[in-house]
Amino acid sequence: MYLRSILLAIGLAAAALLAACTGDDDGDAMMTEDQPAASSEATAAATATATAAPVDATREATPTATETPSPSAEEAHAAQREFVARRLQADFPSLDITMATVDLADIVALLPPDAIPSIDEPNFDTVEGASAWLEPQEPVVAFVHNGDARAYPLRILTWHEIVNDVVGGEPVLVTYCPLCNSAIVFARTLDGEVREFGVSGKLRRTDLNINDRTNESQLQQLSGEAIVGIDAGTLLEFLPAQIVSFEEFGAAYPGGMVLNQETGHFRPYGENPYVYYDTQTRMVVSVPEFDDARLDAKERVLAVEVNGEAAAFAWQALSEHVVIEAEIGGQPIVAFWQSGAVSALDDVFIVGSRNVGSAGAFIPMLDGERLAFEARDGAIVDVGTGSTWNVLGQAVDGPLAGSQLEAVVSGSHFWFAWSVFKPETRVILAGG
């Protein structure tokens, strides 16, 4: 089985590289961020940022006429900054690169804009209709707004990363960075104007950089901040969303809608272009800023930030305890974990991947009363009434059945991805 998976992975990589060179039948560049060969300029940038190799002691200290001195670290850094500036200006002619909150040298210019195409006119199936092509254990981004429940399967988002949608009358931006396992939903209205966004083809700390098509400002997905352009320093509004299994979503929202595979693009939906990525130590692009060894780089965490305090519930602890209560930013928070959802970044096919479960964070208050929770035989139960709850914060059985806890903005990210943007994060390993 392992050999078969490796051979399939090689076949997929070859097919993706071929498509990157020739384009697929709808004219899109079939490229993903884990194909460094896709950009000779990116390779040149990587070479430019390399520091000098150790000098051979057998050579003379002074270069000969045929030798060129290696650039200093400062020169390499400046060259990288200049390279990125040129690429940004070429790809986004209206972008003001002088307005930036970050060092341009930290940006990796990997692909052209929209090489990974966003979904701008999403189509949806009912839960029943989606069950014909979506397996119960497959992960989806669950988002509910003004009573409108939507699921965005990672089998689709892995290949598109961005969906411009309207949910419950609210223009929203649904994003997923597979390199960080970060699924985040934002409001699409900024300064009173509805914006449309695309995949810039650029990364920073291996996280997705988003392109605002309205004015070409570049935004960091994990922070929601515009980092280059006229909007630099502006923040998008985060909206609560979770990665859960399709089965869990369907049970909670039987009348919900599911993003379908009629995207207008040909992609092998259901296949994973990042085979075994979440179990390997390697990064597609190195993240030298990450040096926090409190958790393994690719351990999932349930990351939250409340009243300026960042915290991360370690996934291993969550899966063991099922329920963990903590105070974050002066606010009581309860984190739930439930088995069922598989990883989108494990095996060649998502349906054959390992079960990693799903998690969510909530305010443990209902009608002004503080609730206490515990795990009983793997189920989430409130101590006061004995009602059973699901990972979406809904009471599904008992006296409180039908009740809903208020969700806290959270994300099931890889630890390295959250840590490099929030190094002051408190890691939570148990309740209390």
Side-chain angles (χ1 to χ4, degrees):
M1 180 61 73
Y2 181 79
L3 179 59
R4 176 177 176 272
S5 297
I6 293 297
L7 291 175
L8 282 169
I10 293 172
L12 283 173
L17 183 59
L18 178 61
C21 296
T22 62
D24 60 11
D25 58 7
D26 68 355
D28 295 319
M30 179 83 162
M31 295 190 287
T32 61
E33 285 123 323
D34 62 343
Q35 294 169 0
S39 172
S40 59
E41 289 183 299
T43 303
T47 302
T49 58
T51 56
V55 177
D56 188 339
T58 61
R59 293 185 176 184
E60 296 179 355
T62 303
T64 65
T66 59
E67 294 177 325
T68 302
S70 297
S72 68
E74 292 79 9
E75 291 170 331
H77 188 85
Q80 170 68 1
R81 186 187 297 112
E82 176 63 25
F83 167 78
V84 172
R86 290 199 308 270
R87 280 292 301 272
L88 288 173
Q89 210 74 88
D91 289 342
F92 307 105
S94 299
L95 177 65
D96 185 350
I97 61 173
T98 66
M99 302 181 69
T101 62
V102 301
D103 186 346
L104 294 185
D106 293 339
I107 296 174
V108 178
L110 198 62
L111 298 173
D114 301 318
I116 298 174
S118 62
I119 298 175
D120 304 324
E121 297 181 3
N123 296 300
F124 293 86
D125 287 342
T126 63
V127 168
E128 181 180 3
S131 65
W133 52 270
L134 194 58
E135 295 297 326
Q137 71 272 29
E138 289 196 55
V140 302
V141 177
F143 176 66
V144 184
H145 192 67
N146 293 336
D148 189 352
R150 307 265 177 119
Y152 302 84
L154 294 194
R155 65 156 48 209
I156 300 173
L157 288 187
T158 298
W159 295 94
H160 294 282
E161 302 188 4
I162 283 178
V163 181
N164 291 287
D165 201 1
V166 177
V167 181
E170 174 86 13
V172 298
L173 170 64
V174 181
T175 70
Y176 177 64
C177 177
L179 303 184
C180 298
N181 194 53
S182 49
I184 304 175
V185 177
F186 303 96
R188 265 200 301 132
T189 303
L190 194 61
D191 293 333
E193 180 183 14
V194 176
R195 307 292 179 89
E196 183 179 279
F197 299 90
V199 181
S200 71
K202 316 301 180 278
L203 302 172
R204 178 169 170 264
R205 299 175 179 175
T206 208
D207 178 49
L208 165 67
N209 281 9
I210 301 167
N211 172 43
D212 184 339
R213 291 178 177 146
T214 307
N215 58 31
E216 297 191 335
S217 291
Q218 305 296 293
L219 297 95
Q220 188 79 59
Q221 186 228 18
L222 267 159
S223 67
E225 180 189 3
I227 56 174
V228 185
I230 193 171
D231 285 332
T234 303
L235 296 175
L236 294 177
E237 178 188 357
F238 287 79
L239 300 174
Q242 291 174 251
I243 298 176
V244 301
S245 69
F246 170 54
E247 181 177 42
E248 190 68 48
F249 174 84
Y253 305 105
M257 304 300 289
V258 182
L259 178 71
N260 69 26
Q261 300 179 123
E262 297 174 12
T263 64
H265 306 280
F266 175 76
R267 297 292 185 272
Y269 299 123
E271 296 180 11
N272 167 26
Y274 306 95
V275 180
Y276 305 132
Y277 177 69
D278 68 353
T279 56
Q280 295 176 343
T281 57
R282 72 172 180 87
M283 307 289 183
V284 172
V285 176
S286 65
V287 188
E289 298 88 352
F290 174 68
D291 62 356
D292 193 331
R294 286 180 289 172
L295 299 172
D296 290 341
K298 289 187 181 174
E299 177 169 352
R300 286 170 169 80
V301 296
L302 181 65
V304 299
E305 185 171 12
V306 181
N307 297 329
E309 182 182 2
F313 295 87
W315 207 260
Q316 185 174 351
L318 273 175
S319 63
E320 178 183 349
H321 296 287
V322 179
V323 175
I324 297 180
E325 297 187 7
E327 184 174 295
I328 304 171
Q331 172 71 57
I333 300 293
V334 62
F336 295 159
W337 180 89
Q338 199 165 57
S339 179
V342 299
S343 170
L345 302 167
D346 180 38
D347 211 338
V348 177
F349 297 99
I350 293 175
V351 293
S353 296
R354 60 196 175 89
N355 187 331
V356 295
S358 51
F362 307 91
I363 297 175
M365 303 287 294
L366 193 64
D367 298 328
E369 181 181 352
R370 169 72 184 270
L371 303 181
F373 293 88
E374 66 181 13
R376 295 181 187 172
D377 298 324
I380 302 164
V381 176
D382 74 81
V383 177
T385 73
S387 299
T388 303
W389 299 72
N390 65 17
V391 76
L392 289 157
Q394 299 175 330
V396 295
D397 191 26
L400 296 180
S403 300
Q404 172 74 62
L405 297 177
E406 181 183 345
V408 175
V409 171
S410 62
S412 301
H413 315 316
F414 290 141
W415 168 238
F416 83 85
W418 178 256
S419 173
V420 294
F421 289 102
K422 301 289 181 179
E424 73 286 357
T425 293
R426 172 163 61 101
V427 174
I428 299 174
L429 300 174

